[in-house]
């Protein structure tokens, strides 16, 4: 399945505000969905200056990565910060740390975001003290304080 | 995990000749491996003019896609041909058709190639009339003519 | 791997009280573990008269089934009750209903319990109004009332 | 889902001759299918005296096990032989050895056979020098001599 740069440019982007963070706003085009991919997600995203790409988070099961195409930004990876620009790569392996990006330049931060699409995942939002359980499309959000950890 | 464009530029690329096609030669840098990803593969590949990116093939289980960063080429997708350049996207969904690329310009064809990394896959090479079974790192290649199809 | 009936008889059974129900007490021998199985669980369980096999529950991902070897009991399957004895079979397919058994006879209820062993599962305990999220050995128990259902 | 011993007794058994061995003949009732299980297989099988339960084989991915309910037989596990009867358990863990059973008594050998149902598996038949690749319902049988092992 072939999607030309022109066809991609003509795709309507979808603006998405993160359900946990009004400052996390991105306009995305799902190249993967448009091309029929089901098990990996491939999104071309654009983040306007001053906005975050997503709420700071870490997936416990899904691997994800970002390749910067244009613009300038700041990547927050665990406790680290990195100035990012074209050609930089940010990966989120399993057992990793929370991550997010801020478009800190004067033009939009444009990235290719790729990741697994699993039926089940657990996502932690450390700054919100919340955990999201995703199972077959059902999204369960809980306060981390409400979780009872059962010892075996 | 962060890999700067400079760090990526300084990585040593690995030249790989496809085991079924001496004209399929690519120099690759595994950004995913360098960054600790295990379940998705992310490779920055460069194909010199006149070379193919890979032997024409189709995966029966692993999804794969390509985003062109620079250079010019020809993408072969099933029976179709497409002139490709920067910003074009080629996806290989399941139950898809065989695909490959030729660097048909005057400079190297540089692409970001992403895909699933499954423990098991089956790959068909229609031009070679061969099928590859990959199971937990064991690669079994057979002539399609030697396969007995058992009806149930 | 072979386990003779004698070797099984000589295995020490492990008494387990369900963490949510003191009346759910079973003595189990893990034939599967003893024989090296990792992806399916096979347990020979014995429930004394008056005890339950487990807290009433339903798995959202793991399939499970029970084959009765000896003794008498009552199987609770969703809203139904069934008198059970040797040779009866109870299966818990996906998208099923909650189930449990009571040893309601005068001798122990002895069953072979088999099921998948997945890295991730969600288990509901309707009578406790609790949900258990199991992910790679981490057990998270929450009150169903504390779950926020995110609409997409 | 509940299947009574009586309902099971009234189920019509299906006689199956192994596609690689005319002496491997069993009459089976799929309790799992009858009860709606999809990811584990549970079969009540009966093997007449002088017949084998299956062609000697080993699965590379699917775990399988057998619990003997009645009758007498001989279990072949790798190079070992075991006289088997009621209450004996035979497990086939991953990276295991080939196995099969012979009904060597005067009455049918009746067993409960349980195993995973994966979309992909590889099965070796050492006595036939054949390998079966099973991928999403497509069965590909090849002579082991026709397999080219690709080194990476």
């Amino acid at each position: 399945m072939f999607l030309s740069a022109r066809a991609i440019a003509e795709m309507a982007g979808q603006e998405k505000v993160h359900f946990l963070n009004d400052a996390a706003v991105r306009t995305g085009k799902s190249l993967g969905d448009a091309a029929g991919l089901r098990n990996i997600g491939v999104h071309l995203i654009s983040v306007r200056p001053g906005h975050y790409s997503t709420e700071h988070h870490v997936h416990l099961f899904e691997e994800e990565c970002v390749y910067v195409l244009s613009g300038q930004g700041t990547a927050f990876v665990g406790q680290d910060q990195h100035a990012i620009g074209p050609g930089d790569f940010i990966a989120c392996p399993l057992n990793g740390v929370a991550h997010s990006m801020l478009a800190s330049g004067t033009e939009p931060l444009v990235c290719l975001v790729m990741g697994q699409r699993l039926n089940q995942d657990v996502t932690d939002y450390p700054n919100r003290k919340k955990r999201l359980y995703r199972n077959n499309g059902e999204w369960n959000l809980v306060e981390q304080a409400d979780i009872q950890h059962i010892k075996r």
Side-chain angles (χ1 to χ4, degrees), chain A residues 13-136:
Chain A
Q14 293 192 311
E15 183 169 277
K16 189 168 130 198
V17 180
H18 194 281
F19 73 102
L20 289 176
N21 185 349
D22 290 345
V25 184
R26 63 205 256 177
T27 301
K29 298 180 179 184
S30 178
L31 306 189
D33 286 337
L37 298 177
R38 294 176 52 182
N39 300 322
I40 50 177
V42 183
H43 293 79
L44 185 63
I45 70 165
S46 177
V47 184
R48 287 194 299 276
H51 283 137
Y52 288 87
S53 61
T54 176
E55 168 63 15
H56 201 57
H57 73 285
V58 56
H59 294 285
L60 274 62
F61 288 86
E62 284 185 330
E63 287 190 335
E64 181 184 356
C65 62
V66 177
Y67 185 83
V68 182
L69 294 174
S70 68
Q72 304 296 326
T74 304
F76 302 92
V77 181
Q79 302 309 311
D80 303 331
Q81 290 191 24
H82 304 279
I84 55 174
D88 290 339
F89 181 71
I90 299 133
C92 313
L94 298 188
N95 308 312
V97 293
H99 55 92
S100 54
M101 299 183 292
L102 170 66
S104 49
T106 57
E107 53 176 314
L109 176 66
V110 179
C111 307
L112 203 56
V113 179
M114 306 152 284
Q116 291 178 280
R117 274 189 178 167
L118 303 177
N119 292 330
Q120 297 174 271
D121 189 43
V122 179
T123 308
D124 281 325
Y125 300 96
N127 298 347
R128 307 290 170 175
K129 298 186 168 47
K130 295 178 188 289
R131 170 167 277 195
L132 176 69
Y133 301 95
R134 218 194 63 228
N135 291 288
N136 281 353

